[in-house]
Amino acid sequence: MSLSPVSLERQLKLYKGLVEVSALINAITESSELLPAILEVARRVMEVEAASLFLVNGDGELELTYASGGIMAGTSAPEARIVVPRGRGIAGWVLEHGEALLVPDAYADPRFFKDTDRQTGFRTRSILCAPMQRKGKEIGVLQVLNPIGREAFDEDDLAAFRAYGDLAATAIDKLRTIERQQEQQRVAQEFAFAREIQASFLPQSLPSLSHVHFAATYRPALNVGGDFYDVIESGPDEIYFVVGDVSGKGMPAALLMAQALSILRLIVKPGISPVAAMARWNAMISGHTIRGMFITAMLGRLVLSTREVELCSAGHCHPFTTAQSGVKEIKIPGSPPLGLLPELPSRSHTLTLAQNEWLVLYTDGLVESFNREDVPLDGVGVQRLLSREFASATDVVDGLNRGEINHRQGAEPHDDLTILVFGFQ
């Protein structure tokens, strides 16, 4: 049966509209521009009073996202929020069944959700509604209301509108892919910036003395954390050192790490004890940290002439010493991490390093290094790695690094790792 000139002209107009929508999808990459544009084309080409787009929200219900024409023209604001419960109304039926639907008389169809008209004051006569699905996933529904100059839609309208629904789903899927990629790029840039902050605050070189050897390593995990270390020469006979770990990841941890190191460098003066420096450090940090964040740290002072080391801990890992005589874990009387309490009760521990004895400080990325079976290296594993003779501080750091990598067996590191070693030769 041949089509009448009027019907042929209308179908040609419908499919020219589809070409126009396809061009929009390829040209526009912002949802705030593309989705309203698709609706406007659908309303103009289908010659209808109103068009609307509902997306599936986090509760699995349909929520009006954009509307064109009618009393809800330009709707996208929260105050105009319209939600259609799943399975209710024409839109809910279309979503649930995944089928496009032609409703010649809305009020004669028991599936019609009259509450929307009551909310908006708009009078719905006839409806075309098409599901938006992509790769088996529900996205939402697209619908047009009330053909202009006609009482109801017909089957020709329905065939074209199915294609509109498919194109709209393609557009939304494309936009979400772009947004995910942009978010991934933003996160990657944030991590890169955070790592640059960390690297700029870590020491660029360690003290170079004939009888004292320092070595350190810092390895960030896949996600940026807040590990740090520093070695500060405060005079010809006195060196301060610190290893610490900021809780959390990303930019907040990197910024707190930078702030903490800057404050500590202002505090450290010749003759100040680690306990006094730690207390002052905590007082200056407390009240300025983001809620829930804190810092663990091991702060110490080395007196070169006596080889005496004074250590003070704020909730940090116990250090080790390693020498020909064996490996020892140094139990430091602990106190809470920095930033949790306004006053920090702490005590110090003093030891004297023998010739060729190495003091090993580290963050929990070492003992909490997990292999593919989720087994940690733990303190026993670290002692085992240290149970051999080392020629230098660099040798100690390299040995711990290799041992930690071997323990992971190819598993990705889940935390930053920092090691600081020094001793007399």
Side-chain angles (χ1 to χ4, degrees), residues 41-264:
V41 171
R43 188 174 70 87
R44 174 167 46 80
V45 172
M46 300 294 296
E47 295 184 326
V48 298
E49 292 180 7
S52 54
L53 183 147
F54 290 81
L55 296 180
V56 177
N57 63 20
D59 297 323
E61 297 179 320
L62 286 170
E63 186 165 343
L64 180 65
T65 305
Y66 289 100
S68 176
I71 197 167
M72 296 298 292
T75 292
S76 63
E79 57 268 20
R81 187 172 183 261
I82 294 177
V83 176
V84 178
R86 188 177 186 85
R88 300 226 13 222
I90 301 300
W93 187 95
V94 167
L95 178 71
E96 200 160 47
H97 291 79
E99 299 176 19
L101 189 63
L102 162 62
V103 181
D105 184 350
Y107 278 81
D109 193 311
R111 296 168 296 190
F112 178 56
F113 188 60
K114 302 177 181 65
D115 288 356
T116 302
D117 272 13
R118 282 195 286 268
Q119 280 183 262
T120 63
F122 184 81
R123 177 72 180 184
T124 303
R125 298 193 319 270
S126 184
I127 304 172
L128 279 179
C129 192
M132 295 186 296
Q133 299 174 331
R134 185 73 174 167
K135 300 172 184 176
K137 185 177 180 180
E138 297 175 340
I139 294 175
V141 299
L142 181 68
Q143 69 177 17
V144 290
L145 310 174
N146 301 355
I148 296 172
R150 294 180 290 150
E151 282 299 314
F153 295 107
D154 58 27
E155 292 297 329
D156 289 341
D157 298 318
L158 180 62
F161 200 61
R162 285 193 184 98
Y164 272 100
D166 290 340
L167 284 173
T170 299
I172 293 170
D173 185 61
K174 172 192 172 183
L175 287 171
R176 288 176 175 175
T177 299
I178 291 172
E179 288 167 358
R180 283 195 300 269
Q181 292 172 344
Q182 290 174 339
E183 176 63 15
Q184 289 170 353
Q185 290 173 354
R186 185 194 66 77
V187 171
Q189 288 172 349
E190 179 181 302
F191 285 157
F193 185 37
R195 288 183 179 181
E196 286 180 16
I197 290 174
Q198 288 177 308
S200 68
F201 275 83
L202 296 176
Q204 303 303 304
S205 62
L206 295 172
S208 179
L209 302 169
S210 59
H211 59 303
V212 183
H213 188 195
F214 284 85
T217 185
Y218 168 72
R219 185 216 61 206
L222 295 179
N223 291 330
V224 175
D227 274 17
F228 61 90
Y229 72 95
D230 202 1
V231 180
I232 305 166
E233 295 183 82
S234 64
D237 195 39
E238 197 173 49
I239 296 177
Y240 289 83
F241 54 88
V242 67
V243 170
D245 185 2
V246 177
S247 66
K249 303 290 181 187
M251 186 63 70
L255 291 174
L256 182 54
M257 166 264 192
Q259 180 188 37
L261 266 182
S262 298
I263 291 172
L264 180 63

Side-chain angles (χ1 to χ4, degrees), residues 356-376:
N356 295 320
E357 182 178 20
W358 308 104
L359 181 64
V360 181
L361 302 100
Y362 56 92
T363 57
D364 57 8
L366 181 61
V367 290
E368 294 179 5
S369 172
F370 292 91
N371 62 17
R372 292 187 178 276
E373 286 72 45
D374 213 27
V375 176

Side-chain angles (χ1 to χ4, degrees), residues 291-304:
R291 188 172 183 179
M293 295 186 72
F294 56 86
I295 303 170
T296 70
M298 182 68 67
L299 176 64
R301 176 178 59 180
L302 169 64
V303 179
L304 299 176

